Amino acid sequence: MTQYTVPALLLLGLATLPLHGCDGDTDNTLLPPVDTESRTPVTDERIGNLEAPIPPQCYTKTEAEHNPCYTCHQNYDRDKAARMNQLDDGHLQGGYLFSDVGVTNHWDNLFVDRRDWQASISDEQILTYINQDNYSDLAPRLEKQGWEGFTPDLDNYHLAAGAFDKQGLARDGSHWVAFNYKPFPGTFWPTNGSTDDVVIRLPAAFREIDGSYQRELYLLNLTLLEMAIKQHESMSIPATDETRLNTDLNGDGRVSGIARTLKKRQHYLGDARNIEIAFQQYPQGAELMHTVRYVGIDEHDVIGVPPRMKELRYMRKIRALENHDVRSRYDRERKDKHRGLLPTFVNLHEKGMENGMGWVMQGFIEDYDGRLRPQSHEENLFCMGCHAAVGVTIDQTFALARKVDGAEGWGYIDLQGMPDAANISEPGGEIRNYLKRAGGGSEFRENPEMVDKWYRADGSLNEEAIANADVYTLITPSRERALKLNKAYTHIVRHQSYIHGRDATWLPARNVFTEVDESEPPLPAEFRFFQWDLRMDWQPPRNQEKLARHP
């Protein structure tokens, strides 16, 4: 076994965050009480899991045939397609390669039986709870206590789609923009416990001309960024008058009339015209917000995004990296893993945590009473596993690469009618492929509703049933399951036990290791090294042809 050293610097300089401070009365009657002694202490004085960046899903038993690992761990042929992410960790598909600390699964919440807890909460109680607004009072509380980090500034974000217009621009003038994307396979499907959304904001120069705000310009620059992430040569845009911007947008060599296509270019537009478009990178100052929410259920049992947030996550790009810097940082990451060093990140205390690749990250999570509070240092470490150390991301992010292309994709996330598009690197519907390879509706293969809906009695995938289903139909739960998921998660909230796991399970996991045996063999070759890409192929004819050729 490789010997890993615990870096002393990781434990230095941990400031005590204002983790609980809040004013006003809170209704504690909706959820069962939990005494203080039974709650997990929320502290920055110590770290219980130095390998918190390893997510619970990495401890899944593959049983020599199931591979959900391919969605995070990838190698890419750089002769065929350049990528900013050079981690090349595809060897981790179906294999267990952990440090001395990491071989032990610290996510104890996976093994808690929460059925009695669920039974103690009525359907009416949980519906009332998830439909409460726990977002709007966060900013005033942070400001009152002198918070120095990011303070959420999007009004009415708890209203989900109601906070944005049809093109996704925030109604409050804060310049946050929502976009429609396909949820990441597995854990992020609503059927596994959460709904979510992502919004983006670019600095003022990207939305202004001579200091004056221009809505059309902002959408153009957002599209140029989208093209850089996806490496598209052109992309659809809302009908835009080229003469107003005095710019040839569609690349036909003229400045005239209405353009509906934007051609790839070297620089952004407007007051950002001197900023070069970096290869597969966000510009400095770009911001992302991501809410993770309960599974909403309306009066018609339609699954959607409710007001209550489980988490509010924030990222800000503090520096764009040069090509040589990108290479050296990935080289260092591989070298550190080879030398057996535990991961370390720069702790900026209230201002967040640097991921080592040009981003600062910060998170807020529910306190005992359901109000959002800043995450502790260890709770923030959990986020680093996906946003610093997996080979599949583009500039350490997921969602924009999965956005519905171009003009149609600006607007709040909406899964209804969304096709099970293929990704750009392989044929067949992406969800269809995941269900075949993972052997279930999540990494853990412990979602009986998904098994009943999409698998036959012999365990094979019922491809006829999924052939014409949209994404909403494929990955949202029934009302009954949604209620159970919501109730189960509140057990974690009341116990404040996030450092032991955040998955909304209620039966102890069976398909997960508590301790990884080093002699556990990796998956056989036929179940490994699937070539997957974050980016989607949204063109229906091509998707249909691929599916027909690969039944």
Side-chain angles (χ1 to χ4, degrees), residues 18 22 29 102 166 189 196 211 215 241 252 277 298 387 410 432:
C22 48
T29 63
K166 289 184 178 180
W189 289 346
D196 68 343
R215 178 190 178 98
D241 186 351
D252 65 357
I277 299 173
D298 74 8
H387 291 285
W410 298 114
R432 163 206 185 238

Side-chain angles (χ1 to χ4, degrees), residues 119-138:
S120 68
I121 305 172
S122 71
D123 293 353
E124 291 73 21
Q125 285 173 300
I126 196 62
L127 288 171
T128 299
Y129 184 76
I130 69 170
N131 285 309
Q132 289 179 333
D133 170 21
N134 67 337
Y135 167 81
S136 296
D137 75 332
L138 175 60

Side-chain angles (χ1 to χ4, degrees), residues 16 80 135 145 151 153-154 173 195-196 205 207 213 307 323 328 349 363 411 505 511 526:
T16 301
K80 293 182 178 179
Y135 167 81
Q145 62 196 28
T151 299
D153 58 349
L154 172 54
T195 58
D196 68 343
R207 52 185 191 255
Y213 173 68
N323 290 337
S328 67
H349 311 299
T505 57
N511 298 327
E526 64 266 32

